[in-house]
């Protein structure tokens, strides 16, 4: 058995084809020796390749059991997909860009990326935390093609921008977006909370059925299918504002006064809400 709390995998060179890192998880690798880690096979195009052929492998300081299992990935991993897919515990640190499906269907643990990520970040996740310091691609916190539900729990924090359809079919959980959002933000959203500090693209809230969208930055153009209400949300706003302030930036400066509240999309169930402070 391994006596380390985790491993650091440093990329040797860019692979010829895309690599699927699904199944390469902190808890699984922490129970292995260095030789066993090096022999773990991953899909490389239509073939399988051992981790030892792709990465230099080194043990992390610390003793197993003192803290949660940890895995560090170092290098430009923009050609590596499914990093942290199905993660249910432990900590995954990535220094560099990553490919598609980061944290897809994860259930617990933490993923922290110093860089940008591709499509479907946090898609259909049910728990845990993902933080990306750069941008994310389309369908972040969204649903896979043919699936009815997107993100179902947990927290996704994006320090940069998000592509189109962020939060598509989102059912539960929290998305905190510090930058701009592409078209169709929160489209077909069922529940959960999205807070955005940047500008939003066209068709924001299209088909939105329920859930909450907080605009901490530039106010959006309001479509005709959203209407103002005068419901008392002082208590709800106080709690929500405090929870968002933890994320800093514009979210720490949200006003104490309850925001203007709109509901829609009236073309769907019409029970989604937009909160427009200021």
């Amino acid at each position: 058995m391994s006596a380390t709390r985790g491993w650091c995998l440093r990329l040797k060179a860019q692979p010829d084809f895309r690599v699927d890192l699904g199944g390469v998880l902190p808890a699984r690798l922490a129970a292995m020796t260095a030789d066993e880690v090096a022999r773990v096979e991953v899909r490389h195009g239509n073939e399988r390749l051992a981790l030892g052929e792709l990465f230099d492998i080194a043990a992390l300081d610390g003793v197993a059991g003192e803290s949660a299992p940890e895995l560090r990935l170092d290098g430009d991993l923009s050609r590596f997909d499914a990093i942290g897919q199905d993660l249910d515990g432990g900590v995954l640190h990535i220094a560099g860009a990553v490919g598609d499906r980061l944290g897809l269907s994860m259930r617990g643990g933490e993923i922290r990326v110093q860089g940008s990520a591709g499509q479907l970040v946090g898609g259909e996740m049910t728990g845990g935390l993902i933080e990306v310091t750069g941008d994310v691609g389309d369908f972040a916190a969204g649903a896979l093609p043919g699936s009815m539900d997107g993100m179902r729990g947990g927290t996704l924090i994006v320090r940069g921008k998000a592509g189109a359809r962020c939060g598509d079919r989102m059912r539960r959980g929290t998305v905190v977006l510090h930058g701009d959002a592409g078209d169709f933000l929160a489209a077909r959203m069922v529940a959960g909370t999205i807070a955005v500090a940047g500008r939003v693209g066209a068709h924001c809230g299209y088909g939105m059925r329920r859930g909450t969208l907080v605009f901490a930055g530039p106010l959006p153009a309001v479509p005709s299918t959203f209407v103002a209400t005068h419901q008392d949300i002082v208590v709800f706003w106080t709690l929500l504002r405090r929870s968002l302030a933890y994320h800093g930036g514009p979210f720490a400066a949200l006003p104490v006064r309850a925001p203007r509240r709109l509901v829609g999309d009236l073309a769907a169930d019409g029970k989604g809400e937009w909160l427009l402070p200021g």
Side-chain angles (χ1 to χ4, degrees):
M1 294 288 289
S2 168
T4 180
R5 64 185 174 90
W7 299 96
C8 176
L9 307 184
R10 184 166 291 109
L11 184 64
K12 293 178 177 177
Q14 285 295 320
D16 294 331
F17 303 103
R18 299 194 75 83
V19 176
D20 189 330
L21 275 190
V24 179
L25 301 174
R28 178 189 175 199
L29 267 57
M32 296 180 177
T33 65
D35 288 341
E36 290 171 335
V37 172
R39 290 197 298 269
V40 171
E41 291 187 341
V42 294
R43 185 168 294 281
H44 171 248
N46 292 325
E47 301 176 343
R48 300 191 71 81
L49 211 58
L51 283 181
E53 297 184 52
L54 294 165
F55 297 95
D56 291 321
I57 300 170
L60 297 174
D61 293 335
V63 178
E66 288 186 342
S67 58
E70 185 173 341
L71 175 61
R72 292 181 179 268
L73 303 176
D74 191 356
D76 179 1
L77 303 177
S78 54
R79 305 188 78 173
F80 290 72
D81 301 322
I83 296 175
Q85 181 171 331
D86 295 320
L87 181 70
D88 61 358
V91 182
L92 186 50
H93 287 279
I94 303 118
V98 301
D100 300 332
R101 294 182 282 143
L102 174 76
L104 180 72
S105 302
M106 70 179 283
R107 302 184 294 278
E110 296 181 14
I111 300 177
R112 298 185 184 274
V113 179
Q114 293 179 312
S116 295
Q119 299 187 15
L120 276 166
V121 174
E124 301 189 6
M125 67 184 288
T126 59
L129 168 70
I130 300 176
E131 181 172 11
V132 179
T133 62
D135 301 334
V136 298
D138 298 342
F139 288 99
L144 289 168
S147 180
M148 292 299 293
D149 297 324
M151 182 180 183
R152 302 160 193 178
T155 302
L156 170 62
I157 302 169
V158 179
R159 300 286 174 182
K161 299 180 292 186
R165 291 195 174 276
C166 178
D168 182 58
R169 290 190 180 276
M170 180 174 165
R171 177 167 286 276
R172 196 172 291 119
T174 301
V175 175
V176 179
L177 177 56
H178 287 254
D180 298 338
D183 295 341
F184 290 97
L185 174 67
R188 305 184 292 181
M189 185 177 179
V190 179
T193 300
I194 298 177
V196 55
R199 297 181 296 272
V200 300
H203 311 300
C204 180
Y206 171 83
M208 189 175 176
R209 297 172 58 193
R210 292 183 180 83
T212 301
L213 194 48
V214 180
F215 297 90
L219 298 182
V222 178
S224 58
T225 52
F226 280 76
V227 297
T229 70
H230 301 285
Q231 187 174 354
D232 184 356
I233 59 168
V234 172
V235 175
F236 169 70
W237 175 246
T238 299
L239 297 174
L240 179 60
R241 184 177 64 84
R242 286 177 181 172
S243 68
L244 292 176
Y246 169 79
H247 299 287
F251 302 108
L254 289 169
V256 174
R257 186 179 61 191
R260 188 158 63 102
R261 180 176 185 266
L262 310 176
V263 296
D265 182 345
L266 297 179
D269 279 356
K271 296 179 181 176
E273 65 177 357
W274 287 14
L275 302 182
L276 291 78

